[in-house]
Amino acid sequence: MDKIIECVPNFSEGRDLEKLEKILECFRAKKGVKLLDYSSDQDHNRTVVTIVGEPEAVGSAMVEAIGKAVELIDLNIHEGQHPRMGAVDVIPFIPIRNVTVEEADKLAKNVAREASEKFNMPFFLYEKSATSPHRENLANVRKGQFEGMKEKMKDDLWKPDFGPDTIHPTAGVTAIGARMPLVAFNVNLSTSNIEIANKIAKQVRYLSGGFRFVKGIGVELHDRGIVQVSMNLTDYTKTSIYRVFETIKMEASRYGVNIVGSEIIGLIPMQALVDTADYYLRLENFKFDQVLETRL
Amino acid sequence: MDKIIECVPNFSEGRDLEKLEKILECFRAKKGVKLLDYSSDQDHNRTVVTIVGEPEAVGSAMVEAIGKAVELIDLNIHEGQHPRMGAVDVIPFIPIRNVTVEEADKLAKNVAREASEKFNMPFFLYEKSATSPHRENLANVRKGQFEGMKEKMKDDLWKPDFGPDTIHPTAGVTAIGARMPLVAFNVNLSTSNIEIANKIAKQVRYLSGGFRFVKGIGVELHDRGIVQVSMNLTDYTKTSIYRVFETIKMEASRYGVNIVGSEIIGLIPMQALVDTADYYLRLENFKFDQVLETRL
């Protein structure tokens, strides 16, 4: 089976569709690359693009798109509600099929190296590619945004991993790295008491002693008169969705509260659902390639 | 998303690889058709071929392959342990993605009509395409085999659905129709008592009052000193794998017996595992196209 990687670059342009089209052109009709989706937000003045394909093809299309963004986008005149520090603000590489997180990391570094040399752009490695813990979190890296980055990068703590030691005058600086696919998973509880949802969110999330790859908060669903534990699972291969679900069920039961349902928002990798079925059916020696669709 | 159908023709030739290659040629390098697998059995003198692809392309490749088999295989001189009645013995069409069983049925009928006219071959519609309950089961249809079929077809009960009212002199008669993908599912019990496995098999299988789409028997696993309920699920969209699993768990508990594991033998459609995860996670409004891989 082919190796498939996903890449979700965020471009700091969501209004000028002509410029945007020139950037998207770098992903269209490229052998081994499929442009899955893009969505622009006028208020954010930002476009999120999703491409998938063979790692090498995705990497070389990405280098080309960085060049086009550096050419077309000037952060000095960019306005928008979403925090940003670069013409290409962030470039995550996400392993999808037959690709390890190490391979995704290597690809991120290769793209950063090549683009930094070609376009004289600085790059921070973030998430699984981060070279230091304080650079793992994108919000930390981006703090200060384009306007504050020149000053911030004078500090040795914020020397970039590739490229010049200061921002590109118009294109700023880009965060790049490997991360796992996010799974947005919400569990709905048979109560309107938000404190219960908050307590359970605290129990399962990493920040307050829960599972390593769970972020979560309590949320009120006013229409339905119930509350929900709303989560992002940041590595479903290590913190399984069924384990989080069963833990929430267990914690809820002490309040006499049941799980009335759960939701997956957006996309989920097949493997996460296969792992769930595998657990509950107590499958022995099930191999992922027994899923018929992997043969197509 | 594209429509994908699977077709698993069984050819009555498992020894002469030159002839076989000429038949396989009909499936190779055809636009919209992928030859997934073929396996020949010398003792059975039979080859099972698996192809997938767009319904129309699969249908027209199949008509071509029937012609080639009629030309090359003579049942008058065929010997083998597996029961057979035709050069192409049976042709099931199996809906895989974005195809309904009604569309698979229509395709089976179109192929039968075209091939019967072109090659003067008779066809019985079987399984979901059967025109009468006594023709649903392949074993019933094939009873008498090639040698007895001429006599059998004199009976109005066994007038073919397409083609001449008697066998093709060398290629016999073919069963063709739509069926759902089979899931081979075994559940292992924490006991060596085969009677318990047999009792539970009876409780879940259709034949003795169980679920509509379950066939099952008790089996001893001598190496492990345990027994198993060994099943074929013949329509996982209507008799869900988790429902069968939970029923076996419930029935086993009255003997103080637990489920120690389960096995899926061979391939399973993604939908069957998604349905399982959907049930146990109590998912609300989950759509199959939220599985990331369906977008690739």
Side-chain angles (χ1 to χ4, degrees):
Chain A
M1 286 194 300
D2 294 340
K3 288 172 184 283
I4 295 179
I5 205 159
E6 186 183 11
C7 184
V8 188
N10 288 214
F11 296 92
S12 294
E13 178 58 69
R15 296 172 188 168
D16 186 330
L17 297 184
E18 220 169 290
K19 284 186 182 174
L20 192 59
E21 192 46 48
K22 284 179 184 159
I23 292 169
L24 293 175
E25 204 53 46
C26 306
F27 303 121
R28 292 194 208 272
K30 285 278 194 305
K31 199 174 172 322
V33 178
K34 187 169 173 187
L35 176 60
L36 264 197
D37 186 51
Y38 61 94
S39 83
S40 300
D41 189 299
Q42 297 256 342
D43 295 331
H44 290 179
N45 196 7
R46 185 181 182 89
T47 299
V48 178
V49 177
T50 304
I51 60 174
V52 290
E54 298 161 27
E56 241 179 88
V58 166
S60 86
M62 199 55 238
V63 170
E64 196 183 322
I66 295 169
K68 195 50 79 179
V70 169
E71 177 194 327
L72 297 175
I73 300 173
D74 183 352
L75 268 287
N76 295 288
I77 53 169
H78 179 275
E79 285 181 345
Q81 282 170 18
H82 197 289
R84 78 286 176 271
M85 62 178 182
V88 198
D89 198 50
V90 55
I91 310 174
F93 289 94
I94 305 151
I96 298 296
R97 185 190 287 180
N98 294 323
V99 175
T100 62
V101 76
E102 288 74 24
E103 290 174 283
D105 170 60
K106 204 175 153 194
L107 181 61
K109 285 170 180 158
N110 286 342
V111 167
R113 184 177 303 109
E114 190 179 337
S116 66
E117 287 166 6
K118 274 192 169 160
F119 313 120
N120 206 36
M121 270 285 295
F123 285 86
F124 291 120
L125 294 170
Y126 87 121
E127 279 276 349
K128 304 264 185 189
S129 299
T131 47
S132 171
H134 71 283
R135 296 184 181 205
E136 281 174 16
N137 188 306
L138 178 62
N140 268 352
V141 174
R142 193 162 50 198
K143 210 171 177 179
Q145 298 194 50
F146 175 71
E147 290 74 11
M149 207 49 75
K150 207 182 213 170
E151 195 57 33
K152 179 176 178 177
M153 285 169 75
K154 288 180 180 165
D155 188 336
D156 268 359
L157 274 177
W158 294 105
K159 196 173 138 39
D161 296 287
F162 293 96
D165 277 0
T166 187
I167 57 164
H168 182 285
T170 55
V173 52
T174 299
I176 192 167
R179 69 162 171 82
M180 291 299 292
L182 284 185
V183 175
F185 183 54
N186 302 329
V187 175
N188 299 331
L189 304 178
S190 66
T191 175
S192 60
N193 187 343
I194 184 66
E195 278 183 39
I196 293 176
N198 283 333
K199 271 186 190 162
I200 294 176
K202 273 189 194 165
Q203 288 157 343
V204 295
R205 76 182 173 211
Y206 175 62
L207 205 63
S208 42
F211 293 110
R212 173 72 185 90
F213 297 105
V214 175
K215 299 176 178 175
I217 53 170
V219 168
E220 290 182 83
L221 304 187
H222 295 287
D223 289 359
R224 296 172 63 181
I226 60 173
V227 297
Q228 140 183 119
V229 182
S230 176
M231 293 169 288
N232 271 322
L233 309 186
T234 57
D235 188 345
Y236 68 89
T237 64
K238 293 186 177 139
T239 300
S240 296
I241 191 168
Y242 67 81
R243 198 174 307 126
V244 176
F245 179 85
E246 289 295 330
T247 304
I248 292 174
K249 194 197 276 180
M250 183 192 75
E251 295 293 343
S253 70
R254 69 169 287 195
Y255 305 106
V257 166
N258 293 315
I259 291 176
V260 297
S262 76
E263 303 165 359
I264 287 162
I265 309 297
L267 300 182
I268 181 166
M270 202 193 319
Q271 183 73 58
L273 295 176
V274 170
D275 290 348
T276 301
D278 189 283
Y279 168 75
Y280 287 108
L281 296 178
R282 308 181 189 182
L283 290 177
E284 297 177 358
N285 305 315
F286 185 74
K287 302 271 188 305
F288 190 58
D289 66 4
Q290 288 180 259
V291 177
L292 194 147
E293 280 83 350
T294 63
R295 309 295 182 93
L296 301 183
Chain B
M1 288 194 299
D2 294 340
K3 288 172 183 285
I4 295 179
I5 205 160
E6 186 183 11
C7 184
V8 189
N10 288 213
F11 296 92
S12 295
E13 178 58 70
R15 295 172 188 169
D16 187 331
L17 298 184
E18 219 168 292
K19 283 185 183 176
L20 192 58
E21 192 47 46
K22 283 179 185 161
I23 292 169
L24 293 175
E25 205 53 47
C26 305
F27 303 121
R28 290 194 211 273
K30 284 279 194 305
K31 198 173 173 323
V33 178
K34 187 168 174 187
L35 176 60
L36 264 196
D37 186 51
Y38 61 95
S39 85
S40 300
D41 189 299
Q42 297 258 341
D43 296 332
H44 289 179
N45 195 9
R46 185 180 183 90
T47 298
V48 179
V49 176
T50 306
I51 61 174
V52 290
E54 298 162 27
E56 240 181 89
V58 165
S60 87
M62 198 55 238
V63 169
E64 195 183 323
I66 294 168
K68 195 51 80 177
V70 170
E71 177 193 326
L72 297 175
I73 300 173
D74 183 353
L75 270 286
N76 296 289
I77 54 171
H78 179 275
E79 284 180 345
Q81 283 170 18
H82 197 289
R84 78 287 175 272
M85 61 179 182
V88 199
D89 198 47
V90 55
I91 309 174
F93 290 93
I94 305 151
I96 299 296
R97 186 190 285 179
N98 293 324
V99 175
T100 62
V101 77
E102 288 74 23
E103 291 174 283
D105 170 60
K106 204 176 153 193
L107 181 62
K109 284 170 179 159
N110 286 344
V111 168
R113 184 178 302 110
E114 190 179 339
S116 66
E117 287 166 6
K118 273 191 169 161
F119 313 120
N120 208 33
M121 271 285 294
F123 285 85
F124 289 121
L125 294 169
Y126 86 121
E127 280 277 349
K128 303 264 186 191
S129 299
T131 47
S132 171
H134 72 284
R135 296 184 179 203
E136 282 174 15
N137 188 306
L138 178 62
N140 267 353
V141 175
R142 193 162 51 198
K143 208 171 177 182
Q145 299 193 49
F146 175 72
E147 290 75 9
M149 207 50 73
K150 207 183 214 169
E151 195 57 31
K152 180 177 177 176
M153 286 168 75
K154 289 180 180 166
D155 189 335
D156 268 358
L157 275 175
W158 294 105
K159 196 172 139 38
D161 295 286
F162 293 97
D165 278 0
T166 186
I167 59 165
H168 183 285
T170 56
V173 53
T174 299
I176 192 166
R179 70 162 169 82
M180 290 300 291
L182 283 185
V183 174
F185 183 53
N186 303 328
V187 175
N188 299 331
L189 305 178
S190 65
T191 176
S192 60
N193 187 342
I194 184 65
E195 278 183 41
I196 293 175
N198 283 333
K199 270 187 191 160
I200 294 175
K202 273 189 196 166
Q203 288 157 344
V204 295
R205 77 182 173 212
Y206 176 61
L207 206 63
S208 41
F211 293 110
R212 172 72 185 88
F213 297 105
V214 175
K215 299 174 179 178
I217 54 170
V219 168
E220 289 183 85
L221 304 186
H222 295 287
D223 290 358
R224 295 172 64 180
I226 59 173
V227 297
Q228 145 182 116
V229 182
S230 178
M231 293 168 288
N232 271 322
L233 308 186
T234 56
D235 188 345
Y236 68 89
T237 64
K238 294 188 176 137
T239 299
S240 296
I241 191 168
Y242 68 80
R243 198 174 306 127
V244 175
F245 179 85
E246 290 294 332
T247 305
I248 292 174
K249 194 198 276 180
M250 182 191 75
E251 294 293 342
S253 71
R254 69 170 288 192
Y255 305 106
V257 166
N258 293 317
I259 291 177
V260 299
S262 76
E263 303 165 357
I264 287 162
I265 309 297
L267 300 183
I268 181 166
M270 203 194 316
Q271 182 72 59
L273 295 175
V274 171
D275 290 346
T276 300
D278 190 282
Y279 169 74
Y280 286 108
L281 296 178
R282 308 180 190 183
L283 290 178
E284 297 177 359
N285 303 315
F286 185 74
K287 301 272 187 306
F288 190 58
D289 67 3
Q290 288 181 258
V291 177
L292 194 148
E293 280 82 351
T294 62
R295 309 295 182 94
L296 302 182

